[in-house]
Amino acid sequence: MIKGEDKAMNIVSNIAIERSKGSKLPFVDFNNIQFGKQFSDHMFTADYKNGEWTNLKISPYEPITLSPACAAIHYGQSVFEGMKAYKNEEGEIFLFRPEENAKRINISAERMCMPTVPQELFMDALKQLIKIDADWVPAVKGCSLYIRPFIFASEELLGVRPADEYKFMIFTSPVGGYYNDEIHVKIETEFTRASEGGVGYAKAAGNYAASLYPAKLGEAQGFRQLIWTDAKEHKYIEESGTMNIMFHIGDTLLTPFTDLKTTLAGITRDSVLTLARDLGIKVETRKVSVEEVITAMRNGELKDAFGTGTAATLAQISSITYNDERFELPPLDTRTLSNEIGQIIQDIKRGKVEDTHNWIYKI
Ligand SMILES: *Cc1c(COP(=O)(O)O)cnc(C)c1O
């Protein structure tokens, strides 16, 4: 049985539903979707007050009202998730490992001193919202419905302390296929994304704010993304932009470990590592030094480097620049490991191969 099927009808949360009066769907050109600019008809909202989540509702997508002293705006208590709903050829809608997002938003929330959301509430809200906006899940190949769950401090509060009031919301946005142009990256040696003891492992809004300036400087130099290095010495590789990063060196798939909590534990990362192990590929998760990657590039041993994340699944890197020296990576069609694993993930999502790890969650 496909996971989710047995639970789909078993909605336990008491969610009030107010349907939109008219759908915006007829005005959307699914063959021409701009990322994050179009939103489906409904959104989910819950308010955290007096220590519990109340006012659970699905209502038309619209602006919300907040106090100018809203704590999230001033002190940044705000965390989010990113996931996707897909439609297969039979028109069935499913998610990929959504329980992992439910767990992770709570890991993020705890670090930012915010209330957690019960997994049941997260899953119920998600299922109901996607069912109501089922027609918004594109049937076009490569397209999907991007889902944005988030929690933020909504209390009117200027004192610095953890807020007492929060909102947990979910809205969705149809997205097109990932545009696969060449990705040239630079190893960043000045700015950092995360430090030990910090919040790098949380999907916190502030992590993104802090990365924009270095990313902008990198972009002006022609780099699509930055490879982040450790805050102490800039000697160890952590992530690539807002994706995890992997290297295929010799016969080994190598990726930075998450033990130091400076790297976000991506669900795509975990899926790729699991599939690589299934294929009998040697996998190493540990500290990855800049030096060993540079040496592998000089020796021609670096077969592949790619980012992993929900947005693109796998994003193969075309060149890596370090201290003004640019290394070109092998042509994309020779990247057997990432091409194969990317294909397996697509096939699992389309139901073309057996979902041996129970990753597909039917709505
Ligand atoms: C979301 C995110 C990722 C990727 O996580 P997935 O669960 O694979 O989408 C990687 N790094 C950072 C910093 C992120 O915010």
Side-chain angles (χ1 to χ4, degrees):
M1 178 184 288
I2 295 171
K3 207 165 32 150
E5 210 169 37
D6 53 334
K7 292 183 260 172
M9 292 299 136
N10 185 16
I11 307 269
V12 294
S13 310
N14 189 15
I15 303 175
I17 294 176
E18 180 198 338
R19 286 184 178 269
S20 76
K21 299 229 157 44
S23 177
K24 295 174 286 184
L25 204 49
F27 307 106
V28 180
D29 175 5
F30 278 102
N31 294 311
N32 218 338
I33 314 174
Q34 207 190 338
F35 179 80
K37 283 290 190 186
Q38 210 107 44
F39 302 99
S40 52
D41 290 327
H42 297 89
M43 64 184 189
F44 169 83
T45 315
D47 295 319
Y48 186 84
K49 272 188 185 137
N50 304 319
E52 60 177 3
W53 291 106
T54 57
N55 295 336
L56 317 184
K57 68 170 187 222
I58 288 172
S59 56
Y61 176 90
E62 63 182 0
I64 55 171
T65 305
L66 294 169
S67 158
C70 165
I73 297 171
H74 299 275
Y75 306 125
Q77 276 186 295
S78 180
V79 300
F80 66 94
E81 273 304 320
M83 49 208 298
K84 285 174 170 176
Y86 305 86
K87 205 171 255 177
N88 65 18
E89 277 156 24
E90 284 74 46
E92 296 169 319
I93 295 172
F94 57 88
L95 304 167
F96 188 73
R97 309 186 71 183
E99 289 117 327
E100 297 302 317
N101 299 91
K103 283 183 206 153
R104 192 170 62 190
I105 201 168
N106 287 339
I107 293 171
S108 302
E110 268 173 18
R111 178 61 181 85
M112 308 310 280
C113 237
M114 300 164 68
T116 55
V117 171
Q119 180 145 344
E120 217 163 49
L121 168 58
F122 186 98
M123 294 306 300
D124 280 354
L126 195 61
K127 279 186 278 190
Q128 294 244 50
L129 183 66
I130 292 165
K131 274 187 188 172
I132 283 186
D133 281 335
D135 291 343
W136 283 85
V137 185
V140 183
K141 195 180 150 192
C143 299
S144 56
L145 187 68
Y146 185 82
I147 305 164
R148 172 53 58 89
F150 58 113
I151 313 172
F152 67 96
S154 54
E155 188 179 354
E156 187 169 45
L157 168 74
L158 271 189
V160 180
R161 63 157 167 81
D164 285 332
E165 292 170 19
Y166 295 84
K167 278 186 190 291
F168 165 45
M169 300 185 66
I170 310 176
F171 62 75
T172 66
S173 170
V175 291
Y178 180 77
Y179 183 56
N180 223 352
D181 57 353
E182 291 197 350
I183 301 175
H184 300 284
V185 304
K186 172 181 103 159
I187 297 178
E188 176 63 52
T189 53
E190 185 185 354
F191 298 97
T192 53
R193 191 195 82 89
S195 59
E196 281 180 55
V199 301
Y201 68 98
K203 230 171 162 67
N207 283 341
Y208 280 68
S211 73
L212 295 177
Y213 180 67
K216 187 173 110 177
L217 296 181
E219 212 164 287
Q221 299 172 319
F223 300 109
R224 257 278 288 282
Q225 304 219 307
L226 303 174
I227 295 185
W228 299 109
T229 51
D230 72 283
K232 271 188 216 154
E233 304 176 283
H234 296 296
K235 275 190 182 167
Y236 297 96
I237 289 174
E238 297 194 327
E239 300 206 46
S240 173
T242 57
M243 302 180 92
N244 294 114
I245 188 164
M246 300 195 182
F247 302 95
H248 186 193
I249 298 178
D251 62 355
T252 303
L253 179 63
L254 182 60
T255 194
F257 63 2
T258 55
D259 303 35
L260 299 175
K261 297 196 164 189
T262 51
T263 302
L264 191 121
I267 298 161
T268 318
R269 172 186 182 277
D270 181 74
S271 307
V272 170
L273 296 180
T274 301
L275 293 173
R277 289 189 187 105
D278 285 356
L279 292 170
I281 293 160
K282 200 168 123 205
V283 170
E284 285 181 20
T285 61
R286 55 169 172 82
K287 267 192 171 183
V288 176
S289 71
V290 172
E291 197 190 330
E292 69 184 300
V293 171
I294 300 295
T295 303
M297 289 194 290
R298 287 200 203 286
N299 298 345
E301 280 177 330
L302 184 84
K303 295 178 181 156
D304 201 351
F306 54 94
T308 66
T310 295
T313 310
L314 303 186
Q316 294 158 324
I317 293 168
S318 292
S319 78
I320 298 177
T321 297
Y322 181 57
N323 291 340
D324 298 325
E325 191 176 355
R326 179 168 159 144
F327 298 89
E328 299 293 337
L329 272 57
L332 300 190
D333 57 7
T334 66
R335 315 275 187 102
T336 46
L337 193 152
S338 55
N339 287 338
E340 183 175 7
I341 291 179
Q343 189 59 49
I344 294 171
I345 294 178
Q346 291 311 316
D347 288 347
I348 292 173
K349 287 177 182 169
R350 294 220 189 85
K352 287 190 176 156
V353 296
E354 202 191 334
D355 175 24
T356 49
H357 297 286
N358 250 339
W359 285 340
I360 297 300
Y361 187 101
K362 220 175 119 192
I363 291 289

